[in-house]
Amino acid sequence: MSAETGPREQFQEAFQGSEYMFNPFDWKFITPSGTTANSVASAPAFSCLTQAEQISEMGPAERATGKIVLDVPAKTGTLVYAPGFVDQAWEWKL
C-alpha cells in the first residue's frame, strides 16, 4: 500500500493534530455471496510482518509505503476500507 497525507492545516483539522495509522478495524470484507466479515483483524495477522514491512503512523504531508495484513474468509470478494473519520469508503474486487 502507498499513501500520502495532505497539507498540515487540513491534516490537523481532520486528525486533531494526531498521527494517522491504517487500522485493520477500518476494513471489512464482503464475500461473493454477500456475507460481510466485519472483522478482518486477527492475532496471526498482527504478527505476520516485521515493523519495517508495515505501513506506520503518518503525519502531515508525508508519503509512506508498507503492508497491512488482513484475515479475510475467502479468496474472492470485495475489500472495503471505511475509516470512521470520513463519510466515504473505497472498495477493491479480489
Side-chain angles (χ1 to χ4, degrees), residues 11-51:
F11 185 89
Q12 288 181 335
E13 181 180 329
F15 302 108
Q16 290 81 40
S18 299
E19 291 189 329
Y20 178 74
M21 186 174 99
F22 285 95
N23 186 336
F25 296 101
D26 289 335
W27 299 80
K28 64 182 177 179
F29 182 78
I30 303 168
T31 66
S33 65
T35 303
T36 300
N38 287 318
S39 178
V40 294
S42 68
F46 283 113
S47 60
C48 284
L49 302 173
T50 66
Q51 188 72 22

PDB file of all heavy atoms in Angstrom, residues 11-51:
ATOM      1  N   PHE A  11      -4.625  18.332   7.524  1.00  0.00           N
ATOM      2  CA  PHE A  11      -4.328  17.152   8.328  1.00  0.00           C
ATOM      3  C   PHE A  11      -4.674  17.395   9.793  1.00  0.00           C
ATOM      4  O   PHE A  11      -5.321  16.581  10.438  1.00  0.00           O
ATOM      5  CB  PHE A  11      -2.838  16.793   8.190  1.00  0.00           C
ATOM      6  CG  PHE A  11      -2.455  15.525   8.871  1.00  0.00           C
ATOM      7  CD1 PHE A  11      -2.528  14.314   8.198  1.00  0.00           C
ATOM      8  CD2 PHE A  11      -2.018  15.517  10.184  1.00  0.00           C
ATOM      9  CE1 PHE A  11      -2.169  13.129   8.822  1.00  0.00           C
ATOM     10  CE2 PHE A  11      -1.659  14.353  10.812  1.00  0.00           C
ATOM     11  CZ  PHE A  11      -1.735  13.150  10.137  1.00  0.00           C
ATOM     12  N   GLN A  12      -4.259  18.528  10.329  1.00  0.00           N
ATOM     13  CA  GLN A  12      -4.532  18.829  11.734  1.00  0.00           C
ATOM     14  C   GLN A  12      -6.024  18.971  11.993  1.00  0.00           C
ATOM     15  O   GLN A  12      -6.524  18.568  13.042  1.00  0.00           O
ATOM     16  CB  GLN A  12      -3.773  20.069  12.169  1.00  0.00           C
ATOM     17  CG  GLN A  12      -2.287  19.794  12.294  1.00  0.00           C
ATOM     18  CD  GLN A  12      -1.483  20.995  12.742  1.00  0.00           C
ATOM     19  OE1 GLN A  12      -1.887  22.141  12.552  1.00  0.00           O
ATOM     20  NE2 GLN A  12      -0.334  20.734  13.337  1.00  0.00           N
ATOM     21  N   GLU A  13      -6.758  19.519  11.026  1.00  0.00           N
ATOM     22  CA  GLU A  13      -8.202  19.648  11.182  1.00  0.00           C
ATOM     23  C   GLU A  13      -8.858  18.267  11.183  1.00  0.00           C
ATOM     24  O   GLU A  13      -9.719  17.976  12.001  1.00  0.00           O
ATOM     25  CB  GLU A  13      -8.785  20.500  10.057  1.00  0.00           C
ATOM     26  CG  GLU A  13     -10.283  20.699  10.167  1.00  0.00           C
ATOM     27  CD  GLU A  13     -10.825  21.542   9.026  1.00  0.00           C
ATOM     28  OE1 GLU A  13     -10.100  22.412   8.515  1.00  0.00           O
ATOM     29  OE2 GLU A  13     -11.982  21.308   8.649  1.00  0.00           O
ATOM     30  N   ALA A  14      -8.430  17.411  10.282  1.00  0.00           N
ATOM     31  CA  ALA A  14      -9.033  16.076  10.159  1.00  0.00           C
ATOM     32  C   ALA A  14      -8.677  15.162  11.325  1.00  0.00           C
ATOM     33  O   ALA A  14      -9.504  14.374  11.775  1.00  0.00           O
ATOM     34  CB  ALA A  14      -8.612  15.433   8.841  1.00  0.00           C
ATOM     35  N   PHE A  15      -7.452  15.244  11.822  1.00  0.00           N
ATOM     36  CA  PHE A  15      -6.980  14.299  12.840  1.00  0.00           C
ATOM     37  C   PHE A  15      -6.673  14.954  14.181  1.00  0.00           C
ATOM     38  O   PHE A  15      -6.042  14.338  15.031  1.00  0.00           O
ATOM     39  CB  PHE A  15      -5.744  13.551  12.327  1.00  0.00           C
ATOM     40  CG  PHE A  15      -6.007  12.814  11.054  1.00  0.00           C
ATOM     41  CD1 PHE A  15      -5.470  13.263   9.857  1.00  0.00           C
ATOM     42  CD2 PHE A  15      -6.815  11.693  11.034  1.00  0.00           C
ATOM     43  CE1 PHE A  15      -5.714  12.592   8.676  1.00  0.00           C
ATOM     44  CE2 PHE A  15      -7.069  11.017   9.863  1.00  0.00           C
ATOM     45  CZ  PHE A  15      -6.522  11.468   8.683  1.00  0.00           C
ATOM     46  N   GLN A  16      -7.098  16.184  14.378  1.00  0.00           N
ATOM     47  CA  GLN A  16      -6.872  16.919  15.618  1.00  0.00           C
ATOM     48  C   GLN A  16      -5.400  16.884  16.032  1.00  0.00           C
ATOM     49  O   GLN A  16      -5.063  16.736  17.204  1.00  0.00           O
ATOM     50  CB  GLN A  16      -7.742  16.369  16.762  1.00  0.00           C
ATOM     51  CG  GLN A  16      -9.218  16.657  16.627  1.00  0.00           C
ATOM     52  CD  GLN A  16      -9.916  15.691  15.687  1.00  0.00           C
ATOM     53  OE1 GLN A  16      -9.634  14.506  15.675  1.00  0.00           O
ATOM     54  NE2 GLN A  16     -10.843  16.185  14.901  1.00  0.00           N
ATOM     55  N   GLY A  17      -4.509  16.972  15.051  1.00  0.00           N
ATOM     56  CA  GLY A  17      -3.081  17.025  15.324  1.00  0.00           C
ATOM     57  C   GLY A  17      -2.433  15.680  15.580  1.00  0.00           C
ATOM     58  O   GLY A  17      -1.240  15.594  15.759  1.00  0.00           O
ATOM     59  N   SER A  18      -3.218  14.608  15.617  1.00  0.00           N
ATOM     60  CA  SER A  18      -2.656  13.278  15.866  1.00  0.00           C
ATOM     61  C   SER A  18      -2.089  12.688  14.583  1.00  0.00           C
ATOM     62  O   SER A  18      -2.463  13.085  13.489  1.00  0.00           O
ATOM     63  CB  SER A  18      -3.754  12.335  16.377  1.00  0.00           C
ATOM     64  OG  SER A  18      -4.298  12.807  17.574  1.00  0.00           O
ATOM     65  N   GLU A  19      -1.212  11.705  14.738  1.00  0.00           N
ATOM     66  CA  GLU A  19      -0.709  10.997  13.569  1.00  0.00           C
ATOM     67  C   GLU A  19      -1.794  10.047  13.075  1.00  0.00           C
ATOM     68  O   GLU A  19      -2.680   9.648  13.821  1.00  0.00           O
ATOM     69  CB  GLU A  19       0.564  10.233  13.915  1.00  0.00           C
ATOM     70  CG  GLU A  19       1.733  11.162  14.181  1.00  0.00           C
ATOM     71  CD  GLU A  19       3.036  10.423  14.311  1.00  0.00           C
ATOM     72  OE1 GLU A  19       3.037   9.265  14.773  1.00  0.00           O
ATOM     73  OE2 GLU A  19       4.069  11.019  13.964  1.00  0.00           O
ATOM     74  N   TYR A  20      -1.698   9.683  11.804  1.00  0.00           N
ATOM     75  CA  TYR A  20      -2.668   8.772  11.212  1.00  0.00           C
ATOM     76  C   TYR A  20      -2.039   7.400  11.039  1.00  0.00           C
ATOM     77  O   TYR A  20      -0.874   7.285  10.677  1.00  0.00           O
ATOM     78  CB  TYR A  20      -3.158   9.284   9.854  1.00  0.00           C
ATOM     79  CG  TYR A  20      -4.113   8.323   9.226  1.00  0.00           C
ATOM     80  CD1 TYR A  20      -5.391   8.203   9.713  1.00  0.00           C
ATOM     81  CD2 TYR A  20      -3.705   7.490   8.196  1.00  0.00           C
ATOM     82  CE1 TYR A  20      -6.269   7.289   9.180  1.00  0.00           C
ATOM     83  CE2 TYR A  20      -4.580   6.567   7.659  1.00  0.00           C
ATOM     84  CZ  TYR A  20      -5.857   6.470   8.150  1.00  0.00           C
ATOM     85  OH  TYR A  20      -6.716   5.551   7.638  1.00  0.00           O
ATOM     86  N   MET A  21      -2.817   6.359  11.297  1.00  0.00           N
ATOM     87  CA  MET A  21      -2.340   4.998  11.118  1.00  0.00           C
ATOM     88  C   MET A  21      -3.444   4.170  10.475  1.00  0.00           C
ATOM     89  O   MET A  21      -4.612   4.313  10.819  1.00  0.00           O
ATOM     90  CB  MET A  21      -1.980   4.389  12.472  1.00  0.00           C
ATOM     91  CG  MET A  21      -1.330   3.028  12.366  1.00  0.00           C
ATOM     92  SD  MET A  21      -0.772   2.458  13.975  1.00  0.00           S
ATOM     93  CE  MET A  21      -2.125   1.389  14.404  1.00  0.00           C
ATOM     94  N   PHE A  22      -3.074   3.324   9.509  1.00  0.00           N
ATOM     95  CA  PHE A  22      -4.048   2.430   8.897  1.00  0.00           C
ATOM     96  C   PHE A  22      -4.419   1.356   9.905  1.00  0.00           C
ATOM     97  O   PHE A  22      -3.586   0.541  10.288  1.00  0.00           O
ATOM     98  CB  PHE A  22      -3.495   1.790   7.618  1.00  0.00           C
ATOM     99  CG  PHE A  22      -3.467   2.738   6.473  1.00  0.00           C
ATOM    100  CD1 PHE A  22      -2.328   3.450   6.169  1.00  0.00           C
ATOM    101  CD2 PHE A  22      -4.609   2.941   5.708  1.00  0.00           C
ATOM    102  CE1 PHE A  22      -2.309   4.344   5.119  1.00  0.00           C
ATOM    103  CE2 PHE A  22      -4.603   3.836   4.656  1.00  0.00           C
ATOM    104  CZ  PHE A  22      -3.455   4.535   4.359  1.00  0.00           C
ATOM    105  N   ASN A  23      -5.646   1.382  10.354  1.00  0.00           N
ATOM    106  CA  ASN A  23      -6.140   0.473  11.376  1.00  0.00           C
ATOM    107  C   ASN A  23      -6.857  -0.702  10.725  1.00  0.00           C
ATOM    108  O   ASN A  23      -7.770  -0.494   9.931  1.00  0.00           O
ATOM    109  CB  ASN A  23      -7.100   1.244  12.286  1.00  0.00           C
ATOM    110  CG  ASN A  23      -7.556   0.456  13.468  1.00  0.00           C
ATOM    111  OD1 ASN A  23      -7.568  -0.771  13.475  1.00  0.00           O
ATOM    112  ND2 ASN A  23      -7.944   1.167  14.501  1.00  0.00           N
ATOM    113  N   PRO A  24      -6.510  -1.945  11.045  1.00  0.00           N
ATOM    114  CA  PRO A  24      -7.204  -3.089  10.457  1.00  0.00           C
ATOM    115  C   PRO A  24      -8.708  -3.078  10.740  1.00  0.00           C
ATOM    116  O   PRO A  24      -9.491  -3.656   9.999  1.00  0.00           O
ATOM    117  CB  PRO A  24      -6.548  -4.302  11.122  1.00  0.00           C
ATOM    118  CG  PRO A  24      -5.250  -3.816  11.628  1.00  0.00           C
ATOM    119  CD  PRO A  24      -5.417  -2.350  11.917  1.00  0.00           C
ATOM    120  N   PHE A  25      -9.121  -2.402  11.800  1.00  0.00           N
ATOM    121  CA  PHE A  25     -10.541  -2.363  12.146  1.00  0.00           C
ATOM    122  C   PHE A  25     -11.339  -1.404  11.261  1.00  0.00           C
ATOM    123  O   PHE A  25     -12.558  -1.334  11.360  1.00  0.00           O
ATOM    124  CB  PHE A  25     -10.712  -2.043  13.626  1.00  0.00           C
ATOM    125  CG  PHE A  25     -10.134  -3.110  14.510  1.00  0.00           C
ATOM    126  CD1 PHE A  25      -8.907  -2.940  15.115  1.00  0.00           C
ATOM    127  CD2 PHE A  25     -10.808  -4.309  14.692  1.00  0.00           C
ATOM    128  CE1 PHE A  25      -8.360  -3.935  15.902  1.00  0.00           C
ATOM    129  CE2 PHE A  25     -10.269  -5.320  15.482  1.00  0.00           C
ATOM    130  CZ  PHE A  25      -9.048  -5.135  16.087  1.00  0.00           C
ATOM    131  N   ASP A  26     -10.663  -0.654  10.383  1.00  0.00           N
ATOM    132  CA  ASP A  26     -11.347   0.217   9.421  1.00  0.00           C
ATOM    133  C   ASP A  26     -11.671  -0.518   8.118  1.00  0.00           C
ATOM    134  O   ASP A  26     -12.171   0.086   7.179  1.00  0.00           O
ATOM    135  CB  ASP A  26     -10.482   1.440   9.097  1.00  0.00           C
ATOM    136  CG  ASP A  26     -10.394   2.410  10.258  1.00  0.00           C
ATOM    137  OD1 ASP A  26     -11.309   2.417  11.107  1.00  0.00           O
ATOM    138  OD2 ASP A  26      -9.409   3.174  10.313  1.00  0.00           O
ATOM    139  N   TRP A  27     -11.367  -1.804   8.063  1.00  0.00           N
ATOM    140  CA  TRP A  27     -11.572  -2.608   6.861  1.00  0.00           C
ATOM    141  C   TRP A  27     -12.655  -3.644   7.105  1.00  0.00           C
ATOM    142  O   TRP A  27     -12.853  -4.106   8.217  1.00  0.00           O
ATOM    143  CB  TRP A  27     -10.287  -3.339   6.483  1.00  0.00           C
ATOM    144  CG  TRP A  27      -9.129  -2.454   6.181  1.00  0.00           C
ATOM    145  CD1 TRP A  27      -8.307  -1.829   7.073  1.00  0.00           C
ATOM    146  CD2 TRP A  27      -8.648  -2.092   4.896  1.00  0.00           C
ATOM    147  NE1 TRP A  27      -7.344  -1.110   6.417  1.00  0.00           N
ATOM    148  CE2 TRP A  27      -7.526  -1.255   5.076  1.00  0.00           C
ATOM    149  CE3 TRP A  27      -9.055  -2.411   3.593  1.00  0.00           C
ATOM    150  CZ2 TRP A  27      -6.808  -0.729   4.013  1.00  0.00           C
ATOM    151  CZ3 TRP A  27      -8.327  -1.888   2.542  1.00  0.00           C
ATOM    152  CH2 TRP A  27      -7.221  -1.050   2.751  1.00  0.00           C
ATOM    153  N   LYS A  28     -13.360  -4.030   6.043  1.00  0.00           N
ATOM    154  CA  LYS A  28     -14.260  -5.170   6.101  1.00  0.00           C
ATOM    155  C   LYS A  28     -14.197  -5.891   4.764  1.00  0.00           C
ATOM    156  O   LYS A  28     -13.658  -5.370   3.785  1.00  0.00           O
ATOM    157  CB  LYS A  28     -15.684  -4.768   6.465  1.00  0.00           C
ATOM    158  CG  LYS A  28     -16.375  -3.873   5.468  1.00  0.00           C
ATOM    159  CD  LYS A  28     -17.770  -3.515   5.966  1.00  0.00           C
ATOM    160  CE  LYS A  28     -18.450  -2.557   5.017  1.00  0.00           C
ATOM    161  NZ  LYS A  28     -19.800  -2.229   5.465  1.00  0.00           N
ATOM    162  N   PHE A  29     -14.723  -7.087   4.737  1.00  0.00           N
ATOM    163  CA  PHE A  29     -14.668  -7.919   3.550  1.00  0.00           C
ATOM    164  C   PHE A  29     -16.057  -8.457   3.261  1.00  0.00           C
ATOM    165  O   PHE A  29     -16.765  -8.901   4.172  1.00  0.00           O
ATOM    166  CB  PHE A  29     -13.695  -9.081   3.780  1.00  0.00           C
ATOM    167  CG  PHE A  29     -13.531  -9.961   2.578  1.00  0.00           C
ATOM    168  CD1 PHE A  29     -12.733  -9.566   1.515  1.00  0.00           C
ATOM    169  CD2 PHE A  29     -14.178 -11.176   2.500  1.00  0.00           C
ATOM    170  CE1 PHE A  29     -12.584 -10.373   0.396  1.00  0.00           C
ATOM    171  CE2 PHE A  29     -14.036 -11.989   1.396  1.00  0.00           C
ATOM    172  CZ  PHE A  29     -13.239 -11.590   0.341  1.00  0.00           C
ATOM    173  N   ILE A  30     -16.453  -8.416   1.982  1.00  0.00           N
ATOM    174  CA  ILE A  30     -17.761  -8.940   1.563  1.00  0.00           C
ATOM    175  C   ILE A  30     -17.502 -10.107   0.620  1.00  0.00           C
ATOM    176  O   ILE A  30     -16.831  -9.956  -0.402  1.00  0.00           O
ATOM    177  CB  ILE A  30     -18.602  -7.853   0.877  1.00  0.00           C
ATOM    178  CG1 ILE A  30     -18.772  -6.647   1.803  1.00  0.00           C
ATOM    179  CG2 ILE A  30     -19.961  -8.421   0.454  1.00  0.00           C
ATOM    180  CD1 ILE A  30     -19.333  -5.418   1.142  1.00  0.00           C
ATOM    181  N   THR A  31     -18.014 -11.279   0.983  1.00  0.00           N
ATOM    182  CA  THR A  31     -17.820 -12.472   0.161  1.00  0.00           C
ATOM    183  C   THR A  31     -18.679 -12.380  -1.096  1.00  0.00           C
ATOM    184  O   THR A  31     -19.617 -11.576  -1.159  1.00  0.00           O
ATOM    185  CB  THR A  31     -18.205 -13.752   0.929  1.00  0.00           C
ATOM    186  OG1 THR A  31     -19.613 -13.742   1.174  1.00  0.00           O
ATOM    187  CG2 THR A  31     -17.435 -13.871   2.245  1.00  0.00           C
ATOM    188  N   PRO A  32     -18.402 -13.214  -2.112  1.00  0.00           N
ATOM    189  CA  PRO A  32     -19.215 -13.191  -3.330  1.00  0.00           C
ATOM    190  C   PRO A  32     -20.705 -13.472  -3.073  1.00  0.00           C
ATOM    191  O   PRO A  32     -21.557 -13.002  -3.808  1.00  0.00           O
ATOM    192  CB  PRO A  32     -18.601 -14.295  -4.192  1.00  0.00           C
ATOM    193  CG  PRO A  32     -17.187 -14.368  -3.743  1.00  0.00           C
ATOM    194  CD  PRO A  32     -17.247 -14.095  -2.258  1.00  0.00           C
ATOM    195  N   SER A  33     -21.022 -14.175  -1.985  1.00  0.00           N
ATOM    196  CA  SER A  33     -22.426 -14.452  -1.665  1.00  0.00           C
ATOM    197  C   SER A  33     -23.090 -13.300  -0.922  1.00  0.00           C
ATOM    198  O   SER A  33     -24.279 -13.345  -0.623  1.00  0.00           O
ATOM    199  CB  SER A  33     -22.542 -15.732  -0.833  1.00  0.00           C
ATOM    200  OG  SER A  33     -21.922 -15.548   0.429  1.00  0.00           O
ATOM    201  N   GLY A  34     -22.314 -12.238  -0.608  1.00  0.00           N
ATOM    202  CA  GLY A  34     -22.877 -11.058   0.050  1.00  0.00           C
ATOM    203  C   GLY A  34     -22.718 -11.035   1.552  1.00  0.00           C
ATOM    204  O   GLY A  34     -23.158 -10.101   2.210  1.00  0.00           O
ATOM    205  N   THR A  35     -22.079 -12.038   2.142  1.00  0.00           N
ATOM    206  CA  THR A  35     -21.857 -12.067   3.581  1.00  0.00           C
ATOM    207  C   THR A  35     -20.712 -11.127   3.939  1.00  0.00           C
ATOM    208  O   THR A  35     -19.656 -11.166   3.323  1.00  0.00           O
ATOM    209  CB  THR A  35     -21.502 -13.499   4.045  1.00  0.00           C
ATOM    210  OG1 THR A  35     -22.552 -14.372   3.659  1.00  0.00           O
ATOM    211  CG2 THR A  35     -21.298 -13.557   5.543  1.00  0.00           C
ATOM    212  N   THR A  36     -20.929 -10.295   4.941  1.00  0.00           N
ATOM    213  CA  THR A  36     -19.911  -9.342   5.359  1.00  0.00           C
ATOM    214  C   THR A  36     -19.154  -9.864   6.573  1.00  0.00           C
ATOM    215  O   THR A  36     -19.759 -10.241   7.565  1.00  0.00           O
ATOM    216  CB  THR A  36     -20.545  -7.982   5.714  1.00  0.00           C
ATOM    217  OG1 THR A  36     -21.219  -7.482   4.567  1.00  0.00           O
ATOM    218  CG2 THR A  36     -19.500  -6.982   6.171  1.00  0.00           C
ATOM    219  N   ALA A  37     -17.846  -9.875   6.466  1.00  0.00           N
ATOM    220  CA  ALA A  37     -16.984 -10.171   7.604  1.00  0.00           C
ATOM    221  C   ALA A  37     -16.551  -8.819   8.156  1.00  0.00           C
ATOM    222  O   ALA A  37     -15.710  -8.154   7.563  1.00  0.00           O
ATOM    223  CB  ALA A  37     -15.783 -10.991   7.167  1.00  0.00           C
ATOM    224  N   ASN A  38     -17.163  -8.384   9.217  1.00  0.00           N
ATOM    225  CA  ASN A  38     -16.882  -7.057   9.746  1.00  0.00           C
ATOM    226  C   ASN A  38     -15.537  -6.950  10.440  1.00  0.00           C
ATOM    227  O   ASN A  38     -15.055  -5.855  10.689  1.00  0.00           O
ATOM    228  CB  ASN A  38     -17.990  -6.614  10.695  1.00  0.00           C
ATOM    229  CG  ASN A  38     -19.240  -6.255   9.930  1.00  0.00           C
ATOM    230  OD1 ASN A  38     -19.182  -5.616   8.901  1.00  0.00           O
ATOM    231  ND2 ASN A  38     -20.377  -6.698  10.422  1.00  0.00           N
ATOM    232  N   SER A  39     -14.936  -8.072  10.769  1.00  0.00           N
ATOM    233  CA  SER A  39     -13.614  -8.038  11.372  1.00  0.00           C
ATOM    234  C   SER A  39     -12.660  -8.832  10.503  1.00  0.00           C
ATOM    235  O   SER A  39     -12.870 -10.015  10.258  1.00  0.00           O
ATOM    236  CB  SER A  39     -13.642  -8.632  12.784  1.00  0.00           C
ATOM    237  OG  SER A  39     -12.331  -8.633  13.313  1.00  0.00           O
ATOM    238  N   VAL A  40     -11.638  -8.171  10.024  1.00  0.00           N
ATOM    239  CA  VAL A  40     -10.610  -8.833   9.219  1.00  0.00           C
ATOM    240  C   VAL A  40      -9.267  -8.776   9.938  1.00  0.00           C
ATOM    241  O   VAL A  40      -8.230  -9.044   9.354  1.00  0.00           O
ATOM    242  CB  VAL A  40     -10.518  -8.234   7.797  1.00  0.00           C
ATOM    243  CG1 VAL A  40     -11.779  -8.508   7.021  1.00  0.00           C
ATOM    244  CG2 VAL A  40     -10.220  -6.745   7.848  1.00  0.00           C
ATOM    245  N   ALA A  41      -9.305  -8.430  11.225  1.00  0.00           N
ATOM    246  CA  ALA A  41      -8.109  -8.404  12.054  1.00  0.00           C
ATOM    247  C   ALA A  41      -8.085  -9.680  12.890  1.00  0.00           C
ATOM    248  O   ALA A  41      -9.113 -10.148  13.350  1.00  0.00           O
ATOM    249  CB  ALA A  41      -8.131  -7.185  12.973  1.00  0.00           C
ATOM    250  N   SER A  42      -6.895 -10.244  13.047  1.00  0.00           N
ATOM    251  CA  SER A  42      -6.739 -11.436  13.876  1.00  0.00           C
ATOM    252  C   SER A  42      -5.357 -11.413  14.514  1.00  0.00           C
ATOM    253  O   SER A  42      -4.462 -10.711  14.040  1.00  0.00           O
ATOM    254  CB  SER A  42      -6.919 -12.708  13.043  1.00  0.00           C
ATOM    255  OG  SER A  42      -5.855 -12.844  12.131  1.00  0.00           O
ATOM    256  N   ALA A  43      -5.184 -12.191  15.548  1.00  0.00           N
ATOM    257  CA  ALA A  43      -3.879 -12.264  16.208  1.00  0.00           C
ATOM    258  C   ALA A  43      -2.788 -12.704  15.235  1.00  0.00           C
ATOM    259  O   ALA A  43      -1.717 -12.090  15.188  1.00  0.00           O
ATOM    260  CB  ALA A  43      -3.951 -13.183  17.418  1.00  0.00           C
ATOM    261  N   PRO A  44      -3.007 -13.752  14.417  1.00  0.00           N
ATOM    262  CA  PRO A  44      -1.959 -14.128  13.457  1.00  0.00           C
ATOM    263  C   PRO A  44      -1.642 -13.012  12.450  1.00  0.00           C
ATOM    264  O   PRO A  44      -0.485 -12.819  12.086  1.00  0.00           O
ATOM    265  CB  PRO A  44      -2.542 -15.342  12.744  1.00  0.00           C
ATOM    266  CG  PRO A  44      -3.518 -15.916  13.706  1.00  0.00           C
ATOM    267  CD  PRO A  44      -4.085 -14.725  14.425  1.00  0.00           C
ATOM    268  N   ALA A  45      -2.651 -12.256  12.029  1.00  0.00           N
ATOM    269  CA  ALA A  45      -2.408 -11.174  11.069  1.00  0.00           C
ATOM    270  C   ALA A  45      -1.510 -10.090  11.667  1.00  0.00           C
ATOM    271  O   ALA A  45      -0.682  -9.509  10.968  1.00  0.00           O
ATOM    272  CB  ALA A  45      -3.726 -10.569  10.610  1.00  0.00           C
ATOM    273  N   PHE A  46      -1.651  -9.828  12.963  1.00  0.00           N
ATOM    274  CA  PHE A  46      -0.832  -8.800  13.610  1.00  0.00           C
ATOM    275  C   PHE A  46       0.639  -9.190  13.678  1.00  0.00           C
ATOM    276  O   PHE A  46       1.504  -8.334  13.741  1.00  0.00           O
ATOM    277  CB  PHE A  46      -1.334  -8.502  15.027  1.00  0.00           C
ATOM    278  CG  PHE A  46      -2.554  -7.638  15.056  1.00  0.00           C
ATOM    279  CD1 PHE A  46      -3.766  -8.148  15.495  1.00  0.00           C
ATOM    280  CD2 PHE A  46      -2.512  -6.313  14.636  1.00  0.00           C
ATOM    281  CE1 PHE A  46      -4.897  -7.354  15.523  1.00  0.00           C
ATOM    282  CE2 PHE A  46      -3.642  -5.512  14.656  1.00  0.00           C
ATOM    283  CZ  PHE A  46      -4.835  -6.034  15.103  1.00  0.00           C
ATOM    284  N   SER A  47       0.938 -10.486  13.669  1.00  0.00           N
ATOM    285  CA  SER A  47       2.329 -10.911  13.831  1.00  0.00           C
ATOM    286  C   SER A  47       2.981 -11.380  12.533  1.00  0.00           C
ATOM    287  O   SER A  47       4.084 -11.912  12.554  1.00  0.00           O
ATOM    288  CB  SER A  47       2.403 -12.018  14.888  1.00  0.00           C
ATOM    289  OG  SER A  47       1.628 -13.133  14.481  1.00  0.00           O
ATOM    290  N   CYS A  48       2.332 -11.179  11.395  1.00  0.00           N
ATOM    291  CA  CYS A  48       2.869 -11.643  10.108  1.00  0.00           C
ATOM    292  C   CYS A  48       4.036 -10.819   9.591  1.00  0.00           C
ATOM    293  O   CYS A  48       4.889 -11.336   8.886  1.00  0.00           O
ATOM    294  CB  CYS A  48       1.776 -11.628   9.041  1.00  0.00           C
ATOM    295  SG  CYS A  48       0.625 -12.984   9.178  1.00  0.00           S
ATOM    296  N   LEU A  49       4.069  -9.544   9.878  1.00  0.00           N
ATOM    297  CA  LEU A  49       5.058  -8.649   9.291  1.00  0.00           C
ATOM    298  C   LEU A  49       6.011  -8.100  10.343  1.00  0.00           C
ATOM    299  O   LEU A  49       5.633  -7.922  11.499  1.00  0.00           O
ATOM    300  CB  LEU A  49       4.364  -7.457   8.616  1.00  0.00           C
ATOM    301  CG  LEU A  49       3.371  -7.764   7.520  1.00  0.00           C
ATOM    302  CD1 LEU A  49       2.652  -6.493   7.092  1.00  0.00           C
ATOM    303  CD2 LEU A  49       4.063  -8.413   6.336  1.00  0.00           C
ATOM    304  N   THR A  50       7.214  -7.795   9.903  1.00  0.00           N
ATOM    305  CA  THR A  50       8.132  -7.087  10.788  1.00  0.00           C
ATOM    306  C   THR A  50       7.721  -5.621  10.832  1.00  0.00           C
ATOM    307  O   THR A  50       6.984  -5.144   9.952  1.00  0.00           O
ATOM    308  CB  THR A  50       9.586  -7.181  10.276  1.00  0.00           C
ATOM    309  OG1 THR A  50       9.671  -6.473   9.034  1.00  0.00           O
ATOM    310  CG2 THR A  50      10.022  -8.625  10.101  1.00  0.00           C
ATOM    311  N   GLN A  51       8.206  -4.900  11.803  1.00  0.00           N
ATOM    312  CA  GLN A  51       7.898  -3.468  11.919  1.00  0.00           C
ATOM    313  C   GLN A  51       8.320  -2.706  10.666  1.00  0.00           C
ATOM    314  O   GLN A  51       7.627  -1.809  10.205  1.00  0.00           O
ATOM    315  CB  GLN A  51       8.598  -2.892  13.158  1.00  0.00           C
ATOM    316  CG  GLN A  51       8.205  -1.473  13.486  1.00  0.00           C
ATOM    317  CD  GLN A  51       6.788  -1.367  14.048  1.00  0.00           C
ATOM    318  OE1 GLN A  51       6.241  -2.330  14.554  1.00  0.00           O
ATOM    319  NE2 GLN A  51       6.206  -0.201  13.936  1.00  0.00           N
TER     320      GLN A  51
END
